[in-house]
Amino acid sequence: MNSEPSNVVKFYNGEQIPLELHKVRVVQKLHLVPVERRLEAAREAGFNTFQLSTNDVYLDMLTDSGVNAMSDNQIAAMFRADDAYAGSQSFDRLKQAVRDVFGKEYLLPAHQGRACENIIARTFVKPGDVVPMNYHFTTTHAHIDLNGGKIEELVADEAVNPISTNPFKGNLDPAKLRDCIARHGADKIPFVRMEASTNLIGGQPFSIANMREIRGICDEFGIMLVLDASLIGENAYFIKMREDEFKDSSCADILKTMCGLADLVYFSARKVSSSRGGGICTNDRSIAKKMEHLVPLFEGFLTYGGISVREIEAMAVGLYETTDLTVISQSPSFIEYFIGQMVDMGIPCVTPAGGLGAHIDAGRFLPHIPQEDYPAGALAAAF
């Protein structure tokens, strides 16, 4: 296998530039309103970009979550959706995709990744529990708190340093995990959570070597290992590019290796397959049974989980597309190129480039604004 993604071209002067290896076939109208209206809209929104209407926004870079275009094969698959309430063939196809891509037998559907977190936290977290993780996501933190638990973030100290050359800033620190278990006791730790491409520190990945070490510690103390696979495609890409053991491995093999190390995997399709929905999957029937009754209560029947069957069909195709190096290399390769260009211009950025977006370091950009006054929000509003 070639360890380089196919979308990078090299010029005679040594410069490498990524190319878009897809066509855009649908056109959507944008709005470019006068600067006076944009300033007025910002004031109306309280300078909170989440409160802006897209009528007042020309280029929307608020998030990559569920706003990306679906592939032609995903859209085509939506036309064969089986609208049955129970026993839908669409759900059977999604289950098969989960088996093939993640290597997991049992699937519980949910309408979003945060809905998966609700079910997992309600099932396994009780008052006084502690959930160690490489880094939190906001909804993960909230669901654990709501069920009486608390989180401990156990990344290496360098992970929260915006300027770094560490290729795996998302690694969970094994020594900190052992210390956490020693302080709280294994019986107070329902599971250890690893987030593939840690969202809130810039989409930074963990290595399989690190996940194997964490798996060993979990086995030693009888603790379940949970994988948040919402950005697993990007994490797989970085493993292929940065971890020597896997430079000649296929993305499909890397994905199965990661998921195979986890007792339970959950994901948001808004991230992992450019559609809507989510799911919890495992090979342990007893783990699935503990959560199963919560799906009809909060999501929908066990064969649709609050997701339209058309989206279920798109999810299935999107999971398969996650195994394609050309597909998963698009975002991180452009982010890496963009970060490189900005750093050369002296713009303060989070490095190394991650898999979620090109992140400007607002704290260094606006050093006179304290963190509690939201320098990133201020910078976005100013732009």
Side-chain angles (χ1 to χ4, degrees), residues 61-78:
M61 296 190 293
L62 184 71
T63 180
D64 67 332
S65 182
V67 298
N68 296 313
M70 287 189 285
S71 71
D72 51 353
N73 289 323
Q74 283 181 296
I75 293 171
M78 294 171 78

Side-chain angles (χ1 to χ4, degrees), residues 92-250:
D92 288 340
R93 285 187 278 270
L94 178 59
K95 284 197 298 182
Q96 189 59 52
V98 168
R99 289 189 196 104
D100 293 341
V101 177
F102 291 161
K104 299 300 185 188
E105 183 66 26
Y106 303 106
L107 171 65
L108 301 176
H111 78 277
Q112 271 190 316
R114 64 196 62 192
C116 299
E117 292 171 341
N118 175 47
I119 290 170
I120 293 167
R122 282 176 176 268
T123 302
F124 298 107
V125 178
K126 61 185 184 299
D129 280 351
V130 175
V131 179
M133 57 185 66
N134 51 351
Y135 210 76
H136 83 280
F137 185 64
T138 48
T139 56
T140 320
H141 195 327
H143 283 301
I144 290 168
D145 284 352
L146 285 170
N147 287 278
K150 65 178 183 177
I151 69 162
E152 285 201 14
E153 294 170 332
L154 305 181
V155 289
D157 295 340
E158 188 184 356
V160 293
N161 179 5
I163 308 171
S164 175
T165 58
N166 186 338
F168 293 109
K169 284 167 72 173
N171 279 356
L172 198 157
D173 190 307
K176 289 183 179 180
L177 177 58
R178 287 188 176 278
D179 175 68
C180 178
I181 296 170
R183 284 186 287 108
H184 299 289
D187 60 320
K188 288 292 185 182
I189 299 175
F191 57 86
V192 173
R193 173 184 172 272
M194 293 188 72
E195 182 178 327
S197 300
T198 47
N199 191 308
L200 294 186
I201 55 172
Q204 300 294 326
F206 59 75
S207 68
I208 286 180
N210 176 251
M211 192 177 187
R212 283 174 177 156
E213 190 169 1
I214 300 305
R215 169 82 264 176
I217 296 172
C218 288
D219 287 343
E220 182 181 338
F221 292 95
I223 300 171
M224 185 168 65
L225 180 58
V226 171
L227 173 63
D228 179 343
S230 296
L231 286 165
I232 197 170
E234 289 85 346
N235 207 114
Y237 169 82
F238 286 123
I239 285 169
K240 183 171 178 62
M241 295 298 113
R242 300 175 181 177
E243 195 165 2
D244 285 344
E245 180 185 345
F246 296 94
K247 64 183 180 181
D248 296 322
S249 299
S250 69

Side-chain angles (χ1 to χ4, degrees), residues 23-53:
K23 295 186 217 177
V24 178
R25 301 293 296 275
V26 176
V27 175
Q28 184 175 16
K29 182 181 177 181
L30 297 178
H31 304 273
L32 182 57
V33 299
V35 64
E36 292 82 8
R37 171 56 202 159
R38 296 202 297 276
L39 180 56
E40 184 181 22
R43 287 184 175 131
E44 290 171 357
F47 298 99
N48 181 349
T49 53
F50 283 84
Q51 300 298 322
L52 288 170
S53 165

Side-chain angles (χ1 to χ4, degrees), residues 5-25:
S6 60
N7 69 315
V8 175
V9 295
K10 299 180 181 180
F11 289 85
Y12 69 92
N13 62 357
E15 185 175 8
Q16 297 184 28
I17 296 179
L19 300 177
E20 291 185 338
L21 293 183
H22 55 265
K23 295 186 217 177
V24 178
R25 301 293 296 275

